[in-house]
Amino acid sequence: MAAIRTNYPERLIVLVGPSEESLRKQLEQQGLVIFADPGRAMRAVAALCELKRRWLTLHPGLPDPVRPGRHRPDVGKPALNEWQAKRLLAQYGLPVPTEALCESAAEAVAASRDIGYPVVAKIVSSDIQHKTEFGGVLLNLQNAGQVQEAFEQLLEAAGQLSDKPPIEGVLIAPMIKGGIETILGIHIDPTFGPMVMFGLGGVAVELYDDVAFASVPLSKARAGQLVRSVRACRLLTGWRGQKMHDIEALESALLSLSDFAQDWAPVLEGVDINPFVVMESGTACLDAVISFRKGT
């Protein structure tokens, strides 16, 4: 059977018959599929054919997945900090606000003046993913005095963490108000490969668990279906007299994230963009985490 697998690598080979657990695992490791019951084997193959048919129906006009001109650089670290993650995502067209990574309070004050008050100050470290849990995010800073105080407060709060993570600076970003918080992400499924995730964001994502997934690559039609498959989508479409939000910009961001997943899937562990704010006009990536597989 191993020789047949080697000689016909493009063929689906399904075996039917009783087998011991150890033998079954050996066969599966060689890329062979084994069933004890012929009826289940036929139903599985039929389901695979139907999945392929639906895929082609849902993804008309998909671009060639091998896109020239894209280069995936070496990573060299298990995770990127927020600043690095956003810069990388921005290269794929995701909307990232004008921000500045600062190493001193004076730099933070100057950046705040350039960005325009009010601003947000956040601690930046590749080893810190949940900044709000220890006071690593300070909002609605109105003047230079508040920014300078916030810079010192963030460094002090990070220094009290038990694991003493390396601090790479303080991020100064505009204070974006309004809009609806959603979550975008990439999950690497062991069977189906990279999947784009969308759902209700902010702290509510764990409370309501209102998320949906779609296989990469996304088409524009499939991106729209992914958005509509989430119950909270009604908040974006004028729920109870509210104004419509920019769903077209949201779908565009999902397509950009799909492009990112295609290029980085071989080394990617996952992506978490939360919150991703959808406004009446436009969208904004307010936080992002990108992690990579060990050894890549």
Side-chain angles (χ1 to χ4, degrees):
M1 297 311 303
I4 293 176
R5 174 78 285 170
T6 301
N7 293 333
Y8 301 94
E10 78 286 357
R11 299 293 180 88
L12 172 64
I13 302 176
V14 181
L15 310 179
V16 177
S19 65
E20 297 179 355
E21 181 71 10
S22 60
L23 176 59
R24 182 183 62 80
K25 289 183 177 180
Q26 291 181 45
L27 292 169
E28 289 179 346
Q29 288 173 356
Q30 294 174 8
L32 300 166
V33 182
I34 184 166
F35 287 88
D37 177 74
R40 291 191 65 191
M42 294 305 295
R43 287 194 294 273
V45 173
L48 182 62
C49 294
E50 176 65 11
L51 182 63
K52 177 69 175 293
R53 185 193 66 79
R54 292 186 182 184
W55 174 270
L56 295 175
T57 301
L58 293 172
H59 298 76
L62 278 177
D64 187 339
V66 180
R67 299 181 305 283
R70 289 285 176 84
H71 172 64
R72 174 169 50 82
D74 294 331
V75 179
K77 58 177 64 178
L80 302 181
N81 64 38
E82 179 184 347
W83 166 261
Q84 295 166 331
K86 286 181 175 178
R87 302 283 77 71
L88 181 55
L89 293 171
Q91 294 179 23
Y92 283 78
L94 279 109
V96 176
T98 301
E99 301 175 329
L101 182 62
C102 305
E103 297 182 354
S104 68
E107 288 184 8
V109 170
S112 301
R113 188 181 303 113
D114 292 339
I115 292 172
Y117 294 103
V119 297
V120 176
K122 297 188 273 187
I123 201 72
V124 176
S125 171
S126 301
D127 295 342
I128 300 176
Q129 295 188 2
H130 302 289
K131 297 180 283 291
T132 57
E133 295 180 358
F134 74 98
V137 179
L138 298 176
L139 306 175
N140 204 30
L141 305 176
Q142 300 286 342
N143 52 56
Q146 291 184 0
V147 170
Q148 183 168 353
E149 182 179 349
F151 187 95
E152 297 169 356
Q153 182 179 337
L154 289 172
L155 292 184
E156 181 180 356
Q160 295 177 356
L161 294 175
S162 58
D163 53 353
K164 303 299 180 182
I167 304 304
E168 288 135 19
V170 169
L171 188 66
I172 300 297
M175 181 73 193
I176 295 179
K177 299 179 180 180
I180 294 176
E181 292 187 351
T182 67
I183 180 172
L184 276 59
I186 298 294
H187 168 71
I188 307 299
D189 185 272
T191 300
F192 296 102
M195 310 280 288
V196 174
M197 176 185 68
F198 169 72
L200 188 66
V203 296
V205 62
E206 296 179 359
L207 177 62
Y208 297 112
D209 194 25
D210 187 17
V211 297
F213 296 85
S215 298
V216 168
L218 286 182
S219 64
K220 183 173 177 56
R222 188 70 182 100
Q225 290 173 346
L226 177 60
V227 172
R228 293 191 297 272
S229 67
V230 172
R231 296 189 302 274
C233 176
R234 289 178 291 179
L235 297 174
L236 301 171
T237 57
W239 173 252
R240 293 195 172 183
Q242 300 294 319
K243 292 185 178 180
M244 285 282 296
H245 289 70
D246 200 340
I247 293 181
E248 184 173 350
L250 170 60
E251 293 174 356
S252 177
L254 290 169
L255 292 173
S256 297
L257 194 57
S258 173
D259 287 345
F260 175 83
Q262 279 189 270
D263 286 348
W264 289 80
V267 298
L268 196 61
E269 181 74 24
V271 177
D272 186 354
I273 305 175
N274 184 24
F276 184 85
V277 174
V278 183
M279 296 168 284
E280 294 176 14
S281 178
T283 55
C285 173
L286 300 191
D287 200 352
V289 175
I290 300 177
S291 56
F292 301 98
R293 299 177 186 176
K294 293 181 180 180
T296 58

